[in-house]
Amino acid sequence: MSSARGVVLLVICLLLLESHASDILNDAHVYRAFASYEVVPDVIDEAPDCWARASFKSGRQAEGGNRLTPTQIRNPPVVTWNSNERALYTLILTDPDVPSRDDPRFREFIHWAVGNIPGNDIDRGETLVEYLGAVTPRGTGLHRFVLLVFEHLQKLDFSAEPRISAQCGTVRRYFSTRNFTRKYELTNLYAGNFFQTQYDDYVNTLQAQLRECESEREFDWLVQ
Ligand SMILES: *[C@@H]1O[C@H](CO)[C@@H](O)[C@H](O)[C@H]1NC(C)=O
């Protein structure tokens, strides 16, 4: 009896240890992480209060600046945040480091945007920009990929916003998170996260897919 209790206690302790070990996304560290990777001020003026969780099919997740490969992030992540069922959310995933962090002259490149998400149900939101994985050119170093979730109480009218398909790349340049949030009065940055990625072979696959949409000339900047 007492040994059974001992086993139960041991299991509970192991579970607690486990949850502690995976507690990388502690909300107490959001501000520091966004500042130390200069997401504040390169993309936004102030960090969110909470982490959003973004898990990829590859089994990897965003952990405030960890490194993920283009292969690992080829599919859109499952994103969750502590949502209020009565609110709506607008999500963006943006790369400010185009063509590179040292020379961000095309800043930003928008990878994904979904508006008017009810609660946590991204599938029921309005997809403005379809998810595109990393097209980070070889030799351009690590790019920060920044995921931001804004909360709003009213439904926003995105009808004037261009819809961008997964096959298009060029039109994703010169996105400005600040301008976008100003335009739609997205003042409540509710949750966020970011990771870093750099070239691997999967980038070639994506670039080939994009060339079907763009003229080659327009695409020179990606190929370099
Ligand atoms: C953001 O808005 C400002 C002011 O309207 C404009 O000058 C600037 O070009 C915009 N930035 C981008 C990247 O669109």
Side-chain angles (χ1 to χ4, degrees):
M1 190 65 183
S2 72
S3 84
R5 187 172 294 167
V7 168
V8 168
L9 279 174
L10 182 64
V11 168
I12 290 174
C13 288
L14 285 174
L15 284 173
L16 284 174
L17 259 181
E18 170 88 48
S19 72
H20 189 73
S22 64
D23 194 24
I24 297 161
L25 299 179
N26 182 328
D27 286 337
H29 304 146
V30 181
Y31 274 61
R32 199 171 48 205
F34 272 71
S36 69
Y37 284 87
E38 297 171 326
V39 176
V40 173
D42 289 348
V43 180
I44 43 175
D45 297 327
E46 210 179 323
D49 291 328
C50 324
W51 292 108
R53 289 176 188 268
S55 309
F56 292 90
K57 264 192 186 155
S58 57
R60 301 297 308 276
Q61 61 165 355
E63 289 170 356
N66 60 323
R67 296 181 184 194
L68 302 177
T69 65
T71 304
Q72 288 165 343
I73 64 160
R74 58 191 290 173
N75 300 115
V78 172
V79 183
T80 56
W81 56 91
N82 200 356
S83 66
N84 170 353
E85 289 310 311
R86 289 183 305 274
L88 293 164
Y89 298 86
T90 289
L91 166 159
I92 62 176
L93 177 66
T94 186
D95 171 5
D97 304 324
V98 277
S100 69
R101 187 161 171 183
D102 289 341
D103 174 24
R105 64 186 186 278
F106 303 135
R107 175 173 289 170
E108 301 159 22
F109 187 97
I110 181 77
H111 281 269
W112 195 25
V114 185
N116 292 320
I117 300 165
N120 219 165
D121 195 350
I122 294 179
D123 290 343
R124 286 172 56 215
E126 262 176 76
T127 299
L128 309 174
V129 179
E130 286 179 358
Y131 182 84
L132 176 69
V135 285
T136 45
R138 191 197 290 268
T140 61
L142 287 166
H143 292 231
R144 294 164 295 173
F145 276 52
V146 181
L147 178 79
L148 301 170
V149 177
F150 298 88
E151 186 183 75
H152 43 99
L153 297 175
Q154 305 296 327
K155 187 167 185 185
L156 297 172
D157 179 5
F158 290 114
S159 57
E161 208 57 37
R163 300 300 196 264
I164 302 176
S165 86
Q167 278 73 41
C168 290
T170 310
V171 289
R172 293 169 183 254
R173 276 193 284 175
Y174 299 119
F175 180 80
S176 163
T177 296
R178 283 191 173 87
N179 286 7
F180 183 79
T181 56
R182 202 175 298 130
K183 183 171 173 187
Y184 292 103
E185 296 176 5
L186 291 165
T187 51
N188 186 3
L189 175 54
Y190 190 76
N193 207 329
F194 59 97
F195 54 90
Q196 300 186 92
T197 194
Q198 66 184 334
Y199 177 88
D200 80 1
D201 285 345
Y202 186 66
V203 167
N204 300 328
T205 307
L206 272 187
Q207 285 185 353
Q209 173 184 317
L210 292 172
R211 279 196 202 92
E212 290 168 16
C213 168
E214 324 294 343
S215 79
E216 297 246 357
R217 214 171 63 81
E218 278 178 303
F219 239 74
D220 285 350
W221 71 278
L222 268 182
V223 184
Q224 296 198 332

